[in-house]
Amino acid sequence: MARQHRRVGYGLPTLLAIALHLGILVVSVIRFPSAESEPPSQSIVQATLVSTETTTDQAQRATEPQASSQADETSEDEASREAEEAEAQRQREAEEQRQREAERQRQAEQERAEALEAAQAAAEEAERRAEEARAQAERREQQEAERQRQAEEEARRQREAEEQRRREEEAAQRAAEAAQNSLDRAIAGEAEAAANAEQAQQAANGFINLVRQAVEQAWVIPPNVPDNANALVAIRLGPSGEVFSASIARSSGNSAFDRAAIQAVESAAPFSELRELPASVQRDYREFNLNFRPGDIR
């Protein structure tokens, strides 16, 4: 580091020189009384004065450059030290400023990094929640679609079942009406011939035939029944022709065929034409058997 020089004045060396002269003068005055006790010769005093004057001049001449040099060196050292201290202080302040700036930058970088990390975490969390929401929405849509499908399937089954029941009821109603009409017409025709016993027997035979016809019309043969199927149904009627019981006396071996035979008897009842038979033969025809075969009823 270059030293900073400043102009040094001569006030201080001058004062030092004056002080040195005064000191020499005081010493000379103090020594003069002792010299007066012994009367000196004129030559000695003069010599002393000359010598004193010469010494003072020499001391002044020697002291002035030395004092000036020392003062210059002192001033230069102080100035140098002050400059060095100022430079050191400036460097320390600059270093502290750099450190503070570096700390601020580090903190700013850390804050930016933390903010970025927080933003990334928030974005990831938002994406995760959005994905969960989409997955839940898809599951709800799938569940709703499945419920809708099941509801439509159930409605379709109910419509089919209702349509099947309606068709069966219509078929049974038509069969019963046809059987009743046939039976009524047959009984009406046979009743005219029941005037005597022969006519009564004929009426009884006609009653059985009417019963067979009515049962045949109400009989719905189930599918896939073998041709050799044969079921014997025992029938017992009440006084008014209502069916007290209808049971399988001999099974065909096919439960569906047996049930269809019993249902035909129950659907064709009541056989009210029984009351139109002569009293002598009514009891005989309140119990009888019907043989069901795929082709006919006997």
Short mmCIF file of all heavy atoms in Angstrom, two decimals, residues 19 23 43 49 70 73 75 78 94 130 139 181 183 188 255 290 296:
data_model
loop_
_atom_site.label_atom_id
_atom_site.label_comp_id
_atom_site.label_asym_id
_atom_site.label_seq_id
_atom_site.Cartn_x
_atom_site.Cartn_y
_atom_site.Cartn_z
N ALA A 19 14.02 25.56 22.78
CA ALA A 19 14.08 24.93 24.09
C ALA A 19 15.49 24.47 24.42
O ALA A 19 15.96 24.57 25.56
CB ALA A 19 13.11 23.75 24.12
N GLY A 23 17.82 25.76 27.51
CA GLY A 23 18.42 24.81 28.45
C GLY A 23 19.91 25.07 28.60
O GLY A 23 20.46 25.07 29.71
N SER A 43 40.51 36.33 29.44
CA SER A 43 40.64 35.40 28.29
C SER A 43 39.83 34.16 28.48
O SER A 43 39.25 33.63 27.52
CB SER A 43 42.12 35.06 28.08
OG SER A 43 42.61 34.44 29.25
N LEU A 49 32.62 32.02 26.49
CA LEU A 49 31.49 32.55 25.74
C LEU A 49 31.54 32.11 24.30
O LEU A 49 30.54 31.74 23.71
CB LEU A 49 31.47 34.07 25.83
CG LEU A 49 31.13 34.65 27.20
CD1 LEU A 49 31.29 36.17 27.21
CD2 LEU A 49 29.74 34.26 27.62
N GLN A 70 13.04 13.56 12.45
CA GLN A 70 12.23 12.73 13.34
C GLN A 70 10.75 13.11 13.22
O GLN A 70 9.86 12.24 13.22
CB GLN A 70 12.70 12.90 14.77
CG GLN A 70 14.08 12.27 15.02
CD GLN A 70 14.55 12.51 16.46
OE1 GLN A 70 13.90 13.25 17.20
NE2 GLN A 70 15.68 11.90 16.81
N GLU A 73 9.50 11.75 10.02
CA GLU A 73 9.30 10.30 10.10
C GLU A 73 8.08 9.98 10.97
O GLU A 73 7.29 9.09 10.66
CB GLU A 73 10.54 9.63 10.65
CG GLU A 73 11.72 9.67 9.68
CD GLU A 73 12.96 9.02 10.27
OE1 GLU A 73 12.87 8.57 11.44
OE2 GLU A 73 13.97 8.93 9.56
N SER A 75 5.51 11.93 11.61
CA SER A 75 4.29 12.29 10.90
C SER A 75 4.00 11.28 9.80
O SER A 75 2.84 10.88 9.58
CB SER A 75 4.44 13.69 10.30
OG SER A 75 4.63 14.64 11.33
N GLU A 78 2.78 8.10 11.45
CA GLU A 78 1.39 8.26 11.91
C GLU A 78 0.43 8.29 10.73
O GLU A 78 -0.64 7.68 10.75
CB GLU A 78 1.27 9.55 12.72
CG GLU A 78 1.97 9.48 14.08
CD GLU A 78 1.85 10.80 14.85
OE1 GLU A 78 1.30 11.75 14.24
OE2 GLU A 78 2.25 10.83 16.02
N ALA A 94 -15.75 -3.38 4.20
CA ALA A 94 -16.11 -3.98 2.89
C ALA A 94 -16.34 -5.47 3.04
O ALA A 94 -17.27 -6.04 2.45
CB ALA A 94 -15.02 -3.68 1.86
N ALA A 130 -56.61 -34.06 -6.94
CA ALA A 130 -57.38 -34.07 -8.19
C ALA A 130 -57.51 -35.49 -8.72
O ALA A 130 -58.58 -35.89 -9.21
CB ALA A 130 -56.71 -33.16 -9.22
N ARG A 139 -65.47 -43.99 -9.99
CA ARG A 139 -66.12 -45.08 -9.24
C ARG A 139 -67.60 -44.79 -9.07
O ARG A 139 -68.44 -45.70 -9.19
CB ARG A 139 -65.44 -45.25 -7.88
CG ARG A 139 -64.08 -45.90 -7.95
CD ARG A 139 -63.62 -46.35 -6.56
NE ARG A 139 -63.43 -45.24 -5.66
CZ ARG A 139 -62.30 -44.57 -5.53
NH1 ARG A 139 -61.24 -44.91 -6.24
NH2 ARG A 139 -62.18 -43.57 -4.68
N ASN A 181 -119.19 -72.91 -21.18
CA ASN A 181 -120.16 -72.81 -22.27
C ASN A 181 -120.49 -74.18 -22.85
O ASN A 181 -121.65 -74.51 -23.11
CB ASN A 181 -119.63 -71.89 -23.37
CG ASN A 181 -119.53 -70.45 -22.90
OD1 ASN A 181 -120.28 -70.03 -22.00
ND2 ASN A 181 -118.65 -69.69 -23.53
N LEU A 183 -120.07 -77.04 -21.34
CA LEU A 183 -120.78 -77.84 -20.34
C LEU A 183 -122.24 -77.39 -20.23
O LEU A 183 -123.16 -78.23 -20.14
CB LEU A 183 -120.08 -77.71 -18.99
CG LEU A 183 -120.61 -78.59 -17.86
CD1 LEU A 183 -120.51 -80.07 -18.23
CD2 LEU A 183 -119.83 -78.31 -16.58
N ALA A 188 -127.65 -78.65 -21.05
CA ALA A 188 -128.98 -78.23 -21.54
C ALA A 188 -129.55 -79.23 -22.52
O ALA A 188 -130.76 -79.54 -22.50
CB ALA A 188 -128.86 -76.86 -22.18
N SER A 255 -93.43 -84.82 -12.79
CA SER A 255 -94.14 -83.98 -11.81
C SER A 255 -94.86 -82.82 -12.49
O SER A 255 -95.95 -82.43 -12.06
CB SER A 255 -93.15 -83.46 -10.77
OG SER A 255 -92.12 -82.69 -11.40
N LEU A 290 -110.14 -89.70 -13.70
CA LEU A 290 -109.85 -89.26 -15.06
C LEU A 290 -108.40 -89.65 -15.38
O LEU A 290 -107.49 -89.40 -14.60
CB LEU A 290 -110.02 -87.74 -15.23
CG LEU A 290 -111.46 -87.22 -15.16
CD1 LEU A 290 -111.46 -85.70 -15.31
CD2 LEU A 290 -112.34 -87.87 -16.23
N ASP A 296 -105.35 -87.33 -24.97
CA ASP A 296 -106.72 -87.10 -24.55
C ASP A 296 -106.85 -87.40 -23.06
O ASP A 296 -105.88 -87.69 -22.37
CB ASP A 296 -107.68 -87.96 -25.37
CG ASP A 296 -107.36 -89.45 -25.22
OD1 ASP A 296 -106.36 -89.78 -24.48
OD2 ASP A 296 -108.07 -90.28 -25.79
#
